[in-house]
Amino acid sequence: DSGVTQTPKHLITATGQRVTLRCSPRSGDLSVYWYQQSLDQGLQFLIQYYNGEERAKGNILERFSAQQFPDLHSELNLSSLELGDSALYFCASSLGASGQHTQYFGPGTRLTVL
Amino acid sequence: EDQVTQSPEALRLQEGESSSLNCSYTVSGLRGLFWYRQDPGKGPEFLFTLYSAGEEKEKERLKATLTKKESFLHITAPKPEDSATYLCAVNTPLVFGKGTRLSVIA
């Protein structure tokens, strides 16, 4: 158990809908990252927050947004969902924001868009 | 742009047959190289962090090494429970390779 929690575990929804994925980092970690894993693309970085502020952005679509709250939990919002958004979404956390800090991953949310 | 290439894509070993997985990387500056293990449908599980060439780390049957251009994950006398996908990644945000799918047959 990494100490990172994600809810829900599974999400099934229809095209055009909007969903929210939730992540609680390990105790003491200030940085939260979101990654998407699909069969053909592997693990892709979406966005990073550090202590409530956006720190880095990857290949995140404009339909996707995220935020980190004062209690350090984070939410990833996915809107106008398309079939291609079906994937595993992982949250990770680390103590700091630099490349030297190990990231610990949560169990993921499996999103299926029908 | 950081890049990571892992080989082979898939590896099938007999129980007890030692081997190595390769991770080649191209970065403007290495701040950290990370190895993870991932079981199907699960989140990546942290194994090792390496920071500089020449560094080595060990855990049970696994040993990770680092040079200026690549890292190796050596698996000694593997068991069926070592079957998983092994992922290599660099820096932060993490840039991942596509992984090596390891199957260990009893």
Side-chain angles (χ1 to χ4, degrees):
Chain A
D1 183 357
S2 67
V4 178
T5 60
Q6 290 186 248
T7 56
K9 284 192 169 203
H10 303 278
L11 206 44
I12 301 174
T13 189
T15 55
Q17 295 298 305
R18 173 190 168 93
V19 297
T20 297
L21 282 53
R22 194 178 193 278
C23 168
S24 292
R26 293 188 324 154
S27 177
D29 283 358
L30 298 177
S31 211
V32 169
Y33 311 78
W34 287 96
Y35 293 85
Q36 179 191 57
Q37 187 174 39
S38 56
L39 281 173
D40 55 343
Q41 293 290 329
L43 266 162
Q44 300 281 317
F45 167 68
L46 295 177
I47 196 163
Q48 176 193 4
Y49 281 82
Y50 176 74
N51 205 20
E53 301 290 325
E54 183 183 302
R55 183 71 177 226
K57 242 179 179 177
N59 298 322
I60 188 166
L61 300 171
E62 284 191 15
R63 301 184 285 109
F64 295 2
S65 65
Q67 54 184 323
Q68 186 179 28
F69 295 86
D71 68 352
L72 300 177
H73 91 271
S74 178
E75 292 181 357
L76 179 67
N77 300 296
L78 314 176
S79 61
S80 303
L81 285 167
E82 302 175 359
L83 296 177
D85 297 327
S86 296
L88 272 166
Y89 290 84
F90 290 107
C91 166
S93 74
S94 66
L95 179 63
S98 79
Q100 293 188 314
H101 290 103
T102 297
Q103 293 180 35
Y104 295 89
F105 282 77
T109 293
R110 181 177 293 280
L111 173 66
T112 303
V113 182
L114 301 175
Chain B
E1 184 182 328
D2 296 349
Q3 290 189 327
V4 176
T5 303
Q6 290 188 247
S7 61
E9 283 187 24
L11 183 61
R12 189 180 170 96
L13 299 174
Q14 293 293 319
E15 184 173 4
E17 179 187 1
S18 301
S19 188
S20 296
L21 283 53
N22 177 263
C23 170
S24 298
Y25 62 90
T26 305
V27 296
S28 54
L30 182 68
R31 293 177 288 284
L33 184 140
F34 305 86
W35 282 97
Y36 290 86
R37 168 194 168 126
Q38 187 176 27
D39 293 302
K42 308 285 187 185
E45 175 191 343
F46 170 70
L47 293 174
F48 302 108
T49 306
L50 301 167
Y51 294 110
S52 56
E55 193 173 357
E56 299 183 353
K57 288 194 176 168
E58 279 188 76
K59 179 182 175 180
E60 296 179 359
R61 295 178 293 281
L62 300 176
K63 179 179 175 180
T65 61
L66 181 66
T67 72
K68 288 187 178 178
K69 292 184 179 180
E70 56 192 351
S71 177
F72 291 93
L73 185 65
H74 307 277
I75 303 178
T76 302
K79 298 183 178 182
E81 52 262 41
D82 294 322
S83 298
T85 295
Y86 291 84
L87 298 166
C88 172
V90 295
N91 292 340
T92 290
L94 291 172
V95 175
F96 280 91
K98 294 202 180 295
T100 294
R101 240 177 10 262
L102 175 66
S103 301
V104 183
I105 312 303

